Amino acid sequence: MTIPKTHPFPFDPTYGMTLDTLRAIVPPEAPPGFDAFWQKRYKRALAIDPQPALRKSNLTHPAWQVLDITYTSTDEVTIGGWLLLPRDAPVRRGLVVGHGYGGRDAPDFDLPVEQTAILFPCARGMSRSAQAPIPPEAPGHVLHNIDSPDDYVIGGCVEDIWIAVSTLQALYPWLANRIGYIGGSFGGGLGALAIPFDNRIDRGHLIVPSFGDRKQWLTLPTVGSADSVQTYQKTHPDVLGHLRLFDAATAASRITVPMLVAAALFDPAVAPPCQFAVANAVPPSKYNEIFILDAGHFDYPGMTEQNFALREKLRGFLKLHEPGISALA
């Protein structure tokens, strides 16, 4: 391991924890009504006709046909993004790819997938899905309607993922039960919340996922989105009560499909204890794996090699699991 020894932060991004202590973290219990809250939202999202609209993109790539896409999500929000289709192969799988809290400027052309339609939606309020009055930047976005669980923007972003799945199925009906999800940081936390309540998603890959163990998330120093919520908490001490419904670790304990979770030992933006709360919550299975990164949201020696190893692990993970396999088998 090559955990960074020097850094510019006024706190320790390992939080004094080792791999052993991180792996021993137990996810928080669900608050009353947790499952009913998300099941109700999912039922509402399933009733939405996404009405996808496609047009040729200005972006080009030799291996992919690139299309700009919009679809309708809950609350009549228009979600924008990109759709990649293989140029020289049939579409046999689908993949929804989330993004971090910096938004997304373009699709990722280097994912290790084949014969796959890849949808890159931008979360509501951000990038191609910018919409007033949702703030487009992370510090304000994460606070939008935070005191109203039914209206909190994070819940809407989870619904955007579910309706991204609906969009792929509307365009390619034969992809039913052949759609996976990938998301990192902000998108990793959203994925942990989305996957357990949508049985159309057949596997998931989360990288340094956010929003795990909200109690710690609200107390550990950070340069990530939790910082603005910690400031808000000083004048709104009841915010934890609302956020417990949006705990990615609590949700992850309900996941029943194959999962590859990458968690970091050092991370100034998403505290490793919160990442491991999510990773540890996924029920054990021969199909599930936690991939250990030395650091997240920070450059470090060996990062290129670790990212390559994770990419190759993902390639095998996406090939290994056939549709219909339960991670709890």
Side-chain angles (χ1 to χ4, degrees):
M1 293 186 294
T2 55
I3 299 173
K5 302 298 183 183
T6 60
H7 59 79
F9 308 106
F11 58 91
D12 174 12
T14 71
Y15 302 87
M17 304 192 76
T18 66
L19 178 57
D20 287 341
T21 54
L22 289 167
R23 290 301 303 266
I25 289 173
V26 177
E29 294 184 2
F34 182 85
D35 294 297
F37 175 79
W38 287 106
Q39 289 162 355
K40 179 181 178 181
R41 298 191 78 132
Y42 180 60
K43 183 177 180 180
R44 180 175 76 129
L46 278 187
I48 299 293
D49 177 2
Q51 304 176 61
L54 300 169
R55 64 180 183 276
K56 186 177 180 181
S57 176
N58 292 328
L59 301 175
T60 61
H61 191 273
W64 298 98
Q65 179 185 1
V66 188
L67 299 170
D68 295 335
I69 187 170
T70 60
Y71 64 86
T72 300
S73 188
T74 52
D75 307 314
E76 299 184 350
V77 171
T78 298
I79 299 299
W82 296 265
L83 178 66
L84 299 188
L85 301 174
R87 286 191 180 276
D88 301 315
V91 171
R92 294 181 175 170
R93 284 198 51 82
L95 186 64
V96 176
V97 182
H99 57 75
Y101 236 151
R104 180 182 289 282
D105 297 324
D108 179 358
F109 293 109
D110 297 324
L111 289 173
V113 297
E114 300 173 353
Q115 301 182 355
T116 302
I118 313 177
L119 177 53
F120 296 86
C122 298
R124 64 180 61 197
M126 307 189 76
S127 303
R128 285 193 163 187
S129 302
Q131 175 173 315
I134 304 173
E137 303 298 332
H141 188 278
V142 75
L143 289 172
H144 186 66
N145 288 336
I146 196 169
D147 290 320
S148 175
D150 288 338
D151 303 310
Y152 186 31
V153 70
I154 298 303
C157 292
V158 172
E159 292 167 350
D160 298 340
I161 292 172
W162 292 331
I163 299 175
V165 175
S166 298
T167 297
L168 282 176
Q169 291 195 173
L171 293 168
Y172 311 105
W174 62 90
L175 295 183
N177 301 315
R178 293 175 176 265
I179 297 174
Y181 177 82
I182 294 176
S185 193
F186 168 69
L190 295 180
L193 290 163
I195 291 170
F197 298 100
D198 191 341
N199 59 16
R200 302 171 302 169
I201 300 174
D202 77 334
R203 72 197 69 182
H205 174 42
L206 311 178
I207 310 102
V208 295
S210 186
F211 305 144
D213 193 343
R214 291 292 198 159
K215 185 175 182 180
Q216 288 205 84
W217 190 83
L218 282 170
T219 58
L220 299 174
T222 177
V223 298
S225 63
D227 181 62
S228 63
V229 185
Q230 291 171 7
T231 299
Y232 183 82
Q233 184 186 34
K234 293 176 182 178
T235 53
H236 298 77
D238 58 346
V239 70
L240 176 59
H242 303 311
L243 288 180
R244 290 183 67 205
L245 286 168
F246 299 89
D247 196 308
T250 302
S253 68
R254 287 144 168 81
I255 291 176
T256 60
V257 296
M259 295 293 296
L260 172 62
V261 182
L265 304 176
F266 170 113
D267 195 321
V270 181
C274 300
Q275 295 181 33
F276 276 84
V278 176
N280 296 346
V282 177
S285 160
K286 63 182 180 181
Y287 299 115
N288 296 339
E289 182 174 350
I290 300 176
F291 186 97
I292 306 301
L293 295 169
D294 291 340
H297 297 94
F298 191 77
D299 292 342
Y300 59 96
M303 181 177 70
T304 299
E305 292 79 5
Q306 277 200 337
N307 286 341
F308 178 79
L310 178 58
R311 172 187 165 88
E312 292 308 298
K313 180 72 68 174
L314 176 61
R315 185 191 306 276
F317 174 80
L318 293 174
K319 284 184 175 181
L320 176 63
H321 304 299
E322 295 300 323
I325 291 178
S326 169
L328 300 183

